[in-house]
Amino acid sequence: MSKPRTIAIDGPAGAGKSTIGALVAERLGHLFLDTGAMYRAIALASTRRGVDPDDADNLAHLARELRIAIGPPTVQDGRAYTVLLDGADVTWAIRAADVDRIVSQIARVPAVREAMVEQQRALALRGRIVMVGRDIGTVVLPDAERKIFLTASAAERARRREEELAARGQARPRQELLAEILRRDELDSRRAVAPLRAASDALVVETDGLTVREALDRVLALIERPVAT
Ligand code: CDP
């Protein structure tokens, strides 16, 4: 069987999309795009420029003007990819707590989404790709050849986020991370445009209690499985 060209992986915060998505892309030799990094880059730019997270007009302007480039790691410091914002490396800056707090507010602005989706689709046209986010299977690439919806309980996702931060030398209380994840889930699921949900033809993978390796094996098995027609 030929490998699927376009693979969409969606799911809530901390479900392991970025980790699993990057590994799937590496395994298949596909391009990898973590669309969350794009919304994070706009959120970062808005805090740096003092744009209010509810100022839709100025956010739309930012989204159209900023140059966001995501590519292979340029530094071997644990990053899965490098993010450039107008040429400057913001790979770690977009992971800051300040960005976590406002990114879902930014991502609900329709004009911001329009600008991002246009860039995401253009990238998908260039070749084989694994794209991860919230709305890839539903809105960005509704014709993706494989759609995976990766999920886990909120408690498990908060635990993973705590571990991930600890590995980078940052300590944040698990309760605080859990509250933030629940708030982001709520905003992402209830927004009017492109809410977080599994596409009707997505294969759902629950990752509670699975190691990264186990979750990866499950996802790869689903991706490589012939589609029933
Ligand atoms: O890494 P984590 O799961 O915490 O989040 P992310 O994938 O980096 O996405 C950050 C935020 O961007 C999400 O909470 C959404 O509000 C937004 N997002 C979105 O709206 N649509 C996407 N395709 C990807 C992210």
Side-chain angles (χ1 to χ4, degrees):
M1 193 204 78
S2 64
K3 285 186 274 186
R5 266 176 60 83
T6 42
I7 299 167
I9 304 181
D10 291 300
K17 303 178 302 291
S18 310
T19 310
I20 302 289
L23 291 169
V24 168
E26 190 184 283
R27 182 74 72 91
L28 302 180
H30 280 34
L31 204 68
F32 173 60
L33 179 65
D34 181 357
T35 60
M38 301 174 76
Y39 293 97
R40 286 174 176 275
I42 297 175
L44 176 70
S46 75
T47 56
R48 288 182 172 172
R49 297 180 192 199
V51 175
D52 190 282
D54 286 323
D55 181 349
D57 288 345
N58 273 314
L59 289 173
H61 181 72
L62 265 189
R64 283 192 295 265
E65 300 304 314
L66 291 171
R67 281 180 303 117
I68 302 169
I70 304 182
T74 49
V75 184
Q76 297 305 324
D77 59 358
R79 63 182 61 188
Y81 47 79
T82 288
V83 185
L84 300 179
L85 181 61
D86 284 340
D89 189 336
V90 294
T91 309
W92 292 117
I94 61 169
R95 302 279 150 201
D98 280 359
V99 173
D100 288 343
R101 262 192 291 279
I102 59 159
V103 63
S104 291
Q105 250 168 297
I106 308 286
R108 70 181 175 183
V109 175
V112 168
R113 302 202 70 80
E114 259 167 50
M116 294 305 104
V117 169
E118 193 182 309
Q119 295 178 29
Q120 292 156 10
R121 286 185 180 146
L123 214 66
L125 285 177
R126 290 212 231 141
R128 298 170 178 276
I129 194 163
V130 175
M131 201 181 285
V132 315
R134 302 289 188 288
D135 59 339
I136 312 305
T138 50
V139 174
V140 182
L141 305 175
D143 297 326
E145 286 173 40
R146 281 295 193 286
K147 298 181 185 178
I148 305 285
F149 193 82
L150 216 55
T151 182
S153 66
E156 171 76 8
R157 293 187 281 123
R159 192 190 62 72
R160 289 182 193 160
R161 187 50 48 105
E162 187 186 16
E163 265 181 9
E164 199 180 296
L165 288 172
R168 303 207 300 263
Q170 297 168 24
R172 278 179 72 195
R174 193 180 305 178
Q175 275 314 315
E176 185 184 307
L177 294 169
L178 176 63
E180 188 189 282
I181 278 179
L182 292 172
R183 191 181 138 266
R184 214 132 59 81
D185 282 357
E186 168 87 8
L187 278 171
D188 292 347
S189 310
R190 288 182 182 262
R191 69 180 173 223
V193 180
L196 166 69
R197 65 176 176 82
S200 56
D201 51 350
L203 302 163
V204 178
V205 179
E206 282 273 357
T207 65
D208 270 273
L210 298 185
T211 62
V212 168
R213 180 62 207 263
E214 289 165 341
L216 174 66
D217 286 347
R218 251 180 230 198
V219 169
L220 281 172
L222 292 173
I223 288 173
E224 285 163 357
R225 186 172 83 177
V227 180
T229 46

